[in-house]
Amino acid sequence: MTGRILQFGTSRFLQAHVDLFVHEAREAGQPVGPIAVVQASGSAERAGRVAAFGRPGGFPVIIRGIERGAPVERRIQVTSVDRGLAAARDWEELSALFAGETDVVVSNMGDTGYEVAAADRHPALLSGTAVPHSFPGKLLALLHRRWRDGGRPLTILPCELVSRNGEVLAAILAGLARDAGAPAGFLGWLAGSVIIGNTLVDRIVSQPLEPIGAVAEPYALWAIERRPGLPAPCGHPAIVMTDDLEPFERLKLHILNLGHSVLADLWMAERRDPDETVRAILADGRVRDRLESLYRTEVVPGFAARGMAGEAEAYVATTLDRFLNPFLDHRIADIAQNHPAKVEKRIGAFLAWVYGAGSARHATPLLDAVLARPAEGIRS
């Protein structure tokens, strides 16, 4: 089990996922946490949320949905988070906490969270005199401070929806360290004492509560790829340690997430109700038939070409049940954020994966149309 967890990201997803899991583990008597939540961006609209994380009473997470064929609704007051920090405002406190107390770092910085600001590719990044601009820059500067202070080894569990996210983040940090002219001792410590795991997260968190809190479905998964020296962050039924993360990743990304992006594409193309939810759009028989046909004729055959037909069929059935959850109001406008990047990862990467091994191509007209359609952005 782990002690202090430092969480980069204030999202409702993390509140109903990592924060909730750690809370439930602590309630079961496990010596894990607490969590300090860090706002890595400078968004002024998140200021109230950051302050709310420090309230001793915690925040609510409401689980609503169908579980084992029956409707469930339960409210959990999550108390695993003991403080909220804003990197731009609390940099020195954050640096000291990272260097001295933290055992595990988790993050969920969104689709563009791994982008590195040009201003961070400079030796001044490691000077400690200014707050870096990007998340990778902040993380590397904090790691350098920990190394400088003689810090012990550290585990990082990124939760961004990026294939092999741990390996991607590790490569970015190593390249950024070289750009900053980091000393050989730090480079060696970074490579040998900082374990950055590959993970996959899966839970629909459809609604924020104010100032913090969330509404989520019962289904949840945090799959973590095993590697030497990497323990589970805590014991929890939704946490799975696995030798092979790819099947979990492909099913979620190319079925659940792909379906979301297909619905968002249709929602934008037809200029549907700005507040329409996934459940509401699927109440339109024409839309539901189109999605089910897409899964049956374009998606499942792609998985079958990779020897995963049975897994795909089962996950499609689970996904449709989750989409039709009568208790969740999952707005398509939220799903449609960063639509072009999501389409490339969810559809373009799916087709590349299916046909990358020389599989015979089957017709994918709906997926091809979404991939080819110019992005119009979110409607005002």
Side-chain angles (χ1 to χ4, degrees), residues 28-224:
Q30 297 179 34
V32 57
I35 299 171
V37 173
V38 181
Q39 178 196 17
S41 71
S43 173
E45 65 185 30
R46 300 288 176 91
R49 186 182 298 180
V50 172
F53 278 114
R55 295 178 182 174
F59 57 87
V61 171
I62 300 172
I63 304 299
R64 289 179 179 150
I66 304 298
E67 199 168 44
R68 300 182 183 92
V72 298
E73 179 168 343
R74 57 183 180 270
R75 181 186 179 101
I76 304 109
Q77 197 68 17
V78 174
T79 59
S80 55
V81 177
D82 69 349
R83 73 185 76 178
L85 301 171
R89 182 193 64 207
D90 304 312
W91 183 249
E92 183 51 41
E93 181 181 355
L94 172 58
S95 298
L97 192 67
F98 191 101
E101 294 185 31
T102 301
D103 289 324
V104 172
V105 173
V106 298
S107 66
N108 190 320
M109 299 303 299
D111 294 291
T112 60
Y114 289 175
E115 293 180 359
V116 178
D120 288 342
R121 297 188 182 280
H122 191 276
L125 176 67
L126 305 181
S127 68
T129 58
V131 181
H133 296 269
S134 57
F135 165 63
K138 291 180 176 71
L139 184 55
L140 187 71
L142 292 168
L143 287 165
H144 184 263
R145 164 75 179 265
R146 186 181 178 101
W147 168 76
R148 192 192 69 192
D149 291 358
R152 62 193 183 281
L154 181 72
T155 297
I156 301 176
L157 296 173
C159 297
E160 291 80 14
L161 186 59
V162 174
S163 180
R164 313 296 294 173
N165 50 16
E167 294 171 13
V168 171
L169 182 58
I172 291 170
L173 292 173
L176 191 54
R178 290 190 295 270
D179 290 345
F186 174 60
L187 294 174
W189 179 83
L190 186 63
S193 296
V194 179
I195 299 176
I196 308 180
N198 294 310
T199 81
L200 175 81
V201 296
D202 190 357
R203 169 168 256 174
I204 297 173
V205 183
S206 62
Q207 181 181 343
L209 302 176
E210 296 298 336
I212 54 174
V215 179
E217 65 172 341
Y219 180 92
L221 172 69
W222 190 4
I224 302 171

